[in-house]
């Protein structure tokens, strides 16, 4: 069965898998979702128990790519993508107490879970472009993690030039060096004289210039790309199977910013995985927790926290969930999103709010509690948590309704990526893993550019 992809705003063409991946955002401003999701039977899920991570990834991903990507090519891309991880299990589970498990998603090349999607997406894009005899230019803005994972996934790919903008002097040194020490010809790092918002505005301006966008085939790899969500579904199955699914129900606590990672959990459930609770773990930038508690999705300013990769104002992938909750009525989502843009808030209908509360629990964790969690888990188990994973543990323990159900907390980053927060919490400086020990001696390459659109366009056109 070949799945088609439709926009959440109901006013863009229905696309094949490949076209949806290349498009990223839909032309009506919506996000692409599968027209239907073919669930696995319980017997099929039970049959996945002995699979290795790449075998499981192939079984799940091929549901979404059937009729589009040839099975042999898919198998090779998956094998290559997950061979870059430094742990044989790819996504190992570590037990913290009787019913709490950490799913370590930080063994990829850049030490954060975004490698799961971007190691695969870089190869997938290159494959689709090769087939079509096309080239593409990826342009993205980063406050840290996405940029390094995207660069790592795309470096050295034949048909891709990648330009990543970071705010000059405003990303951590580990994060900057992970990006700027990649010296492949197709990688272009730009330190923009401005803030992260300036970087994002610059990227938006480039994409909204349709002549420029079409001439250079600009492509986005941010978390609105369906292929990223799809790749992240796999580790929900992997963890649950290891803990006794499908005979047992499992709960997940997910450190959440843009709602991409936890939305992959929603899709895992639709595919038939018996999930007990999905817990939205946020820091003080808590638009989702407030929405669940009040029924109003309202924008407030962003404040910096100890878990910077979750410092967001809105959660773009939440639109995908709203599309489902409102009966997949694209016109209604389009109206709601237009109103949201002008009024900065939207109020859910009572029925939808009830459905939302039935599907999720949520908890917002302060910096103080984040540090306290890092310290107490270190004391009781010897494990060092990064601040994002600590938010996940704290929220999971607060929001679970049943302490007897296994709780899997997604550990989204390696502690060495956020050494200052870890040190402030428990006075230990988390060391970089062996393969990165020389990060601070590696040669860097980047250009510093003014926050000016014409300068940026010239820079890109001279290099493509
Ligand atoms: C991106 C990121 C998150 C948030 O994930 P979303 O998919 O945006 O919800 C959490 N933790 C870390 C370390 C991240 O890099």
């Amino acid at each position: 069965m070949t799945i088609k992809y439709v926009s959440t705003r109901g006013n863009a063409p229905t696309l094949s898998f490949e076209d949806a991946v290349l498009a990223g955002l839909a032309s009506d401003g919506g996000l692409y979702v599968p027209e239907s999701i073919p669930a696995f039977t319980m017997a099929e899920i039970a049959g996945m128990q002995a699979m290795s991570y790449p075998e499981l990834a192939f079984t799940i991903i091929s549901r979404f790519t059937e009729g589009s990507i040839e099975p042999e090519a898919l198998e090779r891309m998956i094998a290559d993508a997950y061979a870059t991880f430094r742990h044989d299990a790819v996504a190992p589970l570590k037990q913290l107490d009787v019913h709490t498990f950490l799913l370590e998603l930080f063994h990829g090349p850049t030490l954060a879970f975004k490698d799961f999607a971007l190691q695969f997406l870089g190869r997938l894009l290159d494959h689709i472009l090769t087939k079509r005899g096309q080239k593409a230019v990826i342009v993205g803005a980063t406050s840290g993690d996405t940029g390094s994972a995207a660069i790592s996934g795309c470096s050295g790919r034949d048909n891709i030039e990648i330009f990543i903008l970071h705010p000059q002097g405003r990303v951590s040194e580990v994060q900057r060096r992970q990006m700027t020490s990649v010296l492949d010809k197709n990688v272009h790092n730009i330190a923009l004289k401005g803030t992260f918002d300036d970087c994002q505005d610059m990227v938006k301006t480039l994409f909204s210039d349709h002549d420029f966008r079409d001439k250079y085939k600009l492509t986005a790899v941010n978390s609105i790309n369906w292929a990223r969500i799809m790749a992240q579904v796999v580790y929900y199955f992997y963890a649950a199977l290891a803990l006794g699914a499908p005979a047992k129900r499992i709960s997940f606590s997910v450190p959440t910013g843009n709602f991409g990672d936890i939305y992959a959990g929603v899709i895992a459930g639709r595919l038939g995985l018996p999930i007990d609770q999905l817990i939205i773990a946020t820091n003080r930038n808590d638009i989702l927790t407030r929405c669940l508690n009040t029924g109003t999705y309202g924008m407030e300013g962003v404040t910096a926290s100890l878990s910077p990769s979750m410092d967001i104002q809105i959660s773009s992938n939440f639109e995908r969930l709203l599309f489902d909750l409102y009966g997949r009525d694209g016109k209604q989502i389009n109206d709601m999103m237009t109103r949201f843009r002008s009024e900065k808030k939207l109020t859910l209908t009572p029925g939808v709010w009830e459905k939302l509360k039935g599907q999720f629990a949520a908890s917002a964790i302060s910096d103080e509690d984040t540090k306290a969690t890092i310290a107490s888990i270190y004391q009781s188990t010897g494990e060092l948590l990064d601040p994002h994973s600590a938010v996940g543990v704290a929220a999971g323990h607060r929001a679970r309704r049943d302490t007897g159900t296994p709780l899997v907390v997604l550990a989204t980053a390696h502690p060495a990526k956020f050494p200052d927060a870890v040190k402030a919490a428990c006075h230990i400086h988390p060391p970089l893993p062996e393969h990165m020990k020389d990060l601070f001696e590696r040669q860097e390459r980047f250009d510093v550019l003014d926050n000016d659109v014409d300068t940026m366009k010239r820079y890109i056109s001279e290099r493509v």
Side-chain angles (χ1 to χ4, degrees), residues 162-285:
I162 179 167
F163 295 80
I164 295 292
L165 286 64
H166 70 264
Q168 185 191 20
R170 293 174 198 243
V171 298
S172 79
E173 189 167 5
V174 172
Q175 288 177 321
R176 188 194 71 233
R177 286 179 170 275
Q178 281 189 322
M179 298 191 276
T180 58
S181 64
V182 180
L183 305 176
D184 293 82
K185 286 200 308 294
N186 72 329
V187 173
H188 311 279
N189 273 293
I190 298 154
L192 193 77
K193 291 185 185 163
T195 63
F196 173 56
D197 285 338
D198 293 330
C199 293
Q200 271 190 314
D201 286 345
M202 175 67 76
V203 171
K204 273 190 205 142
T205 307
L206 294 176
F207 273 87
S208 60
D209 178 338
H210 290 201
D211 291 337
F212 188 80
R213 188 187 70 191
D214 295 342
K215 180 170 179 201
Y216 293 103
K217 290 222 164 14
L218 295 195
T219 305
V221 293
N222 46 15
S223 70
I224 49 110
N225 198 305
W226 168 257
R228 283 185 59 176
I229 306 282
M230 177 185 77
Q232 292 169 203
V233 173
V234 179
Y235 46 70
Y236 284 88
F237 273 80
Y238 193 65
L241 287 160
L243 295 174
K248 232 183 191 163
R249 298 174 82 76
I250 311 293
S251 293
F252 291 90
S253 175
V254 187
T256 295
N258 254 325
F259 205 75
D261 206 4
I262 195 162
Y263 187 70
V266 174
I267 300 295
R270 297 258 176 79
L271 282 168
L273 190 71
I275 293 177
D276 190 44
Q277 269 186 300
L278 276 176
I279 297 167
I280 301 168
T282 62
N283 62 30
R284 72 168 82 120
N285 298 290

Side-chain angles (χ1 to χ4, degrees), residues 15 18-27 32 207 218-220 224-225:
L15 297 183
E18 289 186 15
D19 288 322
V21 171
L22 287 182
L25 198 68
S27 58
Y32 275 105
F207 273 87
L218 295 195
T219 305
I224 49 110
N225 198 305

